[in-house]
Structures are given as structure tokens and as C-alpha cells.
Amino acid sequence: MASKIQSVKGTREFYPEQMFLRNFIYEKVRAASQAFGYQEWDAPFIETIDLYAAKSGEELVKKQSFTFQDRGGDFVTLRPELTPSLARMIAAKQGELNFPVRWWSFGPFWRYEQPQKGRSREFFQWNIDMLGVNSPEADAELIAVAATFLRSVGLNPERAAIYVNNRRLMDSEFDALGIVPEKRLDVSNLVDRRSKMEPSKWESYALELGLTQVQVDGLKEVLGNFNLWKKSDELTRLFAALEALGVKDYVKFDPNIMRGLLYYTGTVFEAFETSGSLKRAILGGGRYDNLLSDVGGQPLSGVGFAMGDVVAGIILQENGLVPEFVPTSASVLVTVFDESMWLKSFEMAAQLRREGLDAMVFPEPAKLQKQFKFADKMKLKIVLTIGPDEVANDQVAIKNLVSGQQVVVERGAVVNTIKEMLNA
RNA sequence: GUGCCUGUAGCUCAACGGCAGAGCGCUACACUGUGGCUGUAGAUGUUGAGGGUUCGAAACCCUUCAGGCACCCCA
């Protein structure tokens, strides 16, 4: 129902079940990052708008950022991306960092966009970068990190693929077609749109942009040539490294992968789910040069990628790859028989916790039926009952909700009995 | 920022301009010391919000909010 005060459009509310999914993604992200030795880091969530004005696209800064004046009159921006902050932080300690720097981060970002499937105004993003090495082998490592993540969540190569291209290769192909550098942005845009448009419409659009028919035909030939990578030394080395890293089954060359022109200068890549119910990339990245030129650092090359939690989460759910939701860490519920037994139950629960068992006590002496029902819905495995009969004999009734069996044991044997049931 | 579609019970959805309903879930009881399964009974509600047309609006019109699809963009 509509509440009086709604959440801000495009923001996310994480009920425990959604939080479980977010944490699942976070854990897999961390595992993949750490498997390659990357260090976790983070940057401020709010930055001055100037940080983005320098390097980010105009669209991003002017139209799609959450920017407002703080109480002192300065313009601040909720971070729409992490790379500018990375550049500043690297530049600030460029002389003392131990290169190559391998850093990863997972945190919130905001972009003022039209919310729709796979896209919200508030999202979490995994960023991972290697800085200070410029080689196809370093590019291969980042692609291997991405592949490791995909594999770890169960998206095997039949379900997901990483498509790779190279900016320098495409530039030389564009040169060969006589496409002048000033037209590159348009042509890059054109390539991005090809999969979304009817072939005939795409072609007339290309002609509208000022390409000649010969150039359009040449472009189509380039974009249809999946052996083009053999002309690129960088890609040849990249694929050799990917094979050695054991992830080549995930990777395909695709000359249609361009990505926005903002940072990328060499290898670029994007991962998609192959069934394609969502046409959005799961993750994307590539090699960039001159990362630090606008924040006062020495030239530095890097490679990295980013993955949003929204698309990744949808794809995991649609593929049935999210583990069953576990509502609580507790495996034991201690019921409260009646008011006179209340503190006995508290003492029992405290003892369980001292012995390393997560335990809940029902917060009031309700009917046992209600307490058991609560335990069942919360997927608790064990329910303890301490009633007058048990107290009289210094015993505790232990019911295993999975098997339905109940046993009554001496108080001193409770912890071991529970542990046996949980390990069975 | 643009275009199209949608909004009804907690959830999924019905209802020709004429009494707002079903399934699931929920509550109670069968079962006053025990969940699931079953049976019986019961309660669902500002039809997203605001205004208009009409004897009469969930339905038609306008505004607005939210969601979806596409454009734009994807840093």
C-alpha cells in the first residue's frame, strides 16, 4: 500500500531476503578479488562536482549525477563512478605506493537515471583495477578475475561469455577505411547501436552520419570479421595468456564491443548472459591510459572493470543460482513456557551462546503452538522447551524440527545433543 | 528528458459504466505442553493519490506519484 512518505525514486530497500542476495554477491566478489591477491579499498561517497567535471562524460556530470549545494554553498555530488576518486587517491601517494597496485572495492553509487529493469538510481558496484602495468597479460588477469567470479556463482561458459575487443585495432581499421579521427565518436556510437537496429535502418543511419557507402560496406565487413583479432599483437598475446590462466572458454573476440569513448585506449571487454533475457552487460571494462593526467599525477596506465549488483542479481535469480534464503543465523529457538519459566529460558539461551551456538529466545510466553510455528517459518532447526516437568528433573526437551523427533535430556547434555543433531 | 503500457485484499490476479471477488497467505478452532499435513469457520479493501464527467466510476477524462517496456546513456 502507498505509505504517506514514499522512498526516493530509484532507491533500493533491502529487506532481509534482498540483503541476503546482496551479501551473496559481495562474498563472491570478495572471493574472486582475493583469489588474485587484490586489496580492498574505498573512497568517499560524496565528492566535489569538479572531480567529475574534469574527466567524466558531460552526460554523466550534467544530467545523471545527484548534485546539490551543501550548507556551506559548495556543490557536492553523490559519486556516480569510482574511477576519478581512484585517480586522485593514486596520484596523492604515487611516490609511495608499491606498484603494480591491485585494488578492488564494492560500494554504493548514485546516478539520476530513469529506473527500469536492471537499472536503478542507487546501486552497488564492484570496481577492480590493476595500475602501473601496461601489457596484454595484465589485461588477461582482469578478464580472468571476471571469469572466476562468473564461475563461482554458477554462470558457466554456456550461460555467460566475456566479449573482447581492442580499441587500437579498431582505430587502425577505421583509419584503413578512411574514417577520420573526428568521426570516431559517431562511429563508435554507431557500432554500439548495431545490435539494436534493423540492418537497413542502421545502414541509412550510417550514411546520415556522413560515411560513404564504401565506408559503410567496409565497416560491416570489419564488424563481421571474428578473426580480426589475429591482426592484433595485443589480442594474440591476450588470448594466449587467457588460455594459460584457464579461462579461455569464457572469452570470445567480438569487434562489435566498443564501450563509451571516455577512458578506454586498448583492450575492452563486456560480459553478457548468453540467453539474453536482459540485454545489459553484467560487467564491463578495459585498459585506460593517462588516468592521472587531470589530477596532477605522472602518466600511469591501468586496466579494470566494474559490475553493478542490479543486473548481476537479476541474472542470478533468473538462472536459479541464488542459494536458498536463510532467514537467521540462529539454529535454535528456546521457547518460553510461561512467565515463571521465562528466566530459565534466558539462562538456557545464554549457555548455548557461550558454547558457540546462535540461539533465539521467544520474546514472550505465548502459546507453544505459536512459538513452534514461528520457529518453523524462521527455518530454525531446533526448538528447546523448558516446562515444569523438565525443571523438576533438571532436563530440557529438544525437538528436531527437520526430523520431527523430540528427546528429553539432562541439562548438562543439551549442547552436545544439539551439536549432534546439527551435524547429522 | 521523450514515447507507450500498468497500478484492485499482505501476494498473484478477476470484475460489460450498475452489490469489489477468487486462489494463496493470515486469524481462530479441531489440537488448552509442540511446527509442517488435513478439515471447519472468519477477517480482508481510501480500487496508488487528487480532481472531473455521470442518476451511478475500479472502469471514461485530466493532473500527479510509482512501476514496467523502449528511446537516450551505459562512465
Side-chain angles (χ1 to χ4, degrees):
Chain A
M1 275 296 80
S3 51
K4 288 216 168 117
I5 297 177
Q6 290 177 319
S7 59
V8 174
K9 179 172 180 167
T11 56
R12 322 263 301 286
E13 297 187 310
F14 292 92
Y15 288 86
E17 190 154 3
Q18 286 94 50
M19 197 64 204
F20 180 79
L21 173 58
R22 188 175 115 192
N23 280 331
F24 173 72
I25 292 171
Y26 176 72
E27 282 161 23
K28 296 298 183 183
V29 160
R30 180 171 56 189
S33 304
Q34 291 183 344
F36 288 77
Y38 285 64
Q39 297 172 285
E40 188 172 9
W41 70 289
D42 211 337
F45 294 177
I46 51 177
E47 295 274 14
T48 64
I49 194 172
D50 308 303
L51 180 70
Y52 303 104
K55 190 76 179 173
S56 301
E58 202 170 301
E59 175 87 11
L60 179 61
V61 177
K62 290 194 174 159
K63 289 187 170 175
Q64 300 196 331
S65 67
F66 274 93
T67 297
F68 48 87
Q69 269 185 298
D70 66 17
R71 292 188 188 281
D74 295 326
F75 283 95
V76 295
T77 299
L78 291 174
R79 63 181 190 183
E81 58 165 336
L82 192 60
T83 306
S85 304
L86 172 66
R88 184 191 56 216
M89 286 171 62
I90 293 287
K93 294 193 185 287
Q94 196 165 8
E96 53 187 286
L97 287 170
N98 185 20
F99 287 97
V101 161
R102 287 177 162 108
W103 285 4
W104 73 279
S105 180
F106 185 85
F109 294 86
W110 295 265
R111 289 178 196 163
Y112 197 84
E113 307 199 70
Q114 285 310 317
Q116 52 185 275
K117 190 175 189 183
R119 196 163 71 180
S120 57
R121 289 185 174 179
E122 181 175 58
F123 55 96
F124 284 76
Q125 190 166 275
W126 176 26
N127 286 268
I128 181 163
D129 296 271
M130 188 199 312
L131 302 167
V133 178
N134 184 359
S135 74
E137 288 74 20
D139 299 349
E141 177 172 302
L142 268 294
I143 293 171
V145 172
T148 299
F149 170 82
L150 295 174
R151 206 189 297 278
S152 75
V153 296
L155 286 168
N156 57 36
E158 289 77 50
R159 287 169 138 169
I162 302 170
Y163 300 96
V164 174
N165 195 7
N166 186 284
R167 273 290 172 66
R168 267 182 285 274
L169 172 64
M170 296 309 282
D171 283 346
S172 71
E173 293 298 314
F174 293 164
D175 284 344
L177 291 171
I179 296 169
V180 293
E182 297 77 54
K183 277 251 158 38
R184 293 249 172 86
L185 189 77
D186 286 342
V187 172
S188 166
N189 217 312
L190 182 69
V191 173
D192 270 340
R193 288 194 187 192
R194 189 157 177 246
S195 60
K196 291 183 181 177
M197 293 175 82
E198 300 271 325
S200 58
K201 282 186 184 171
W202 182 81
E203 203 164 320
S204 54
Y205 179 59
L207 294 171
E208 276 173 40
L209 289 177
L211 297 186
T212 66
Q213 186 65 50
V214 175
Q215 286 174 327
V216 174
D217 291 343
L219 189 58
K220 279 160 68 180
E221 201 176 316
V222 167
L223 297 178
N225 182 359
F226 289 80
N227 287 315
L228 198 65
W229 63 274
K230 291 175 182 168
K231 293 166 77 172
S232 162
D233 286 343
E234 285 183 40
L235 287 176
T236 303
R237 279 169 63 185
L238 179 81
F239 283 116
L242 289 169
E243 181 143 32
L245 287 165
V247 298
K248 192 154 182 265
D249 48 347
Y250 272 99
V251 185
K252 294 184 176 68
F253 170 73
D254 188 337
N256 296 282
I257 298 294
M258 290 301 290
R259 302 192 60 73
L261 264 193
L262 292 164
Y263 305 132
Y264 300 113
T265 52
T267 294
V268 289
F269 55 94
E270 287 181 337
F272 286 89
E273 190 222 12
T274 46
S275 84
S277 83
L278 252 189
K279 296 235 184 302
R280 300 182 187 285
I282 301 170
L283 57 88
R287 171 155 300 279
Y288 44 81
D289 293 317
N290 307 319
L291 174 72
L292 308 186
S293 56
D294 293 302
V295 287
Q298 296 301 306
L300 187 68
S301 181
V303 57
F305 68 84
M307 179 188 83
D309 73 314
V310 181
V311 171
I314 290 170
I315 285 171
L316 292 179
Q317 283 181 314
E318 287 186 349
N319 282 275
L321 295 172
V322 182
E324 190 189 359
F325 173 54
V326 181
T328 171
S329 62
S331 48
V332 181
L333 175 76
V334 184
T335 59
V336 175
F337 190 87
D338 60 25
E339 224 162 295
S340 70
M341 303 283 141
W342 207 332
L343 299 185
K344 298 273 185 213
S345 292
F346 272 18
E347 286 167 9
M348 185 73 247
Q351 187 192 335
L352 295 180
R353 296 189 192 109
R354 279 196 297 274
E355 305 271 356
L357 288 167
D358 294 348
M360 254 193 240
V361 186
F362 203 84
E364 55 187 2
K367 291 172 68 171
L368 283 184
Q369 188 183 30
K370 187 174 178 183
Q371 301 190 42
F372 271 78
K373 205 163 193 170
F374 173 83
D376 187 55
K377 287 190 178 172
M378 201 59 96
K379 292 182 182 161
L380 291 151
K381 295 189 173 69
I382 308 277
V383 177
L384 303 191
T385 306
I386 306 169
D389 297 347
E390 285 78 15
V391 170
N393 299 311
D394 198 30
Q395 291 177 322
V396 176
I398 304 175
K399 182 156 186 179
N400 183 336
L401 290 193
V402 180
S403 68
Q405 301 294 311
Q406 178 163 298
V407 294
V408 179
V409 304
E410 299 296 317
R411 198 184 170 86
V414 169
V415 170
N416 282 338
T417 306
I418 291 174
K419 284 183 175 171
E420 278 171 27
M421 283 180 178
L422 292 176
N423 290 330

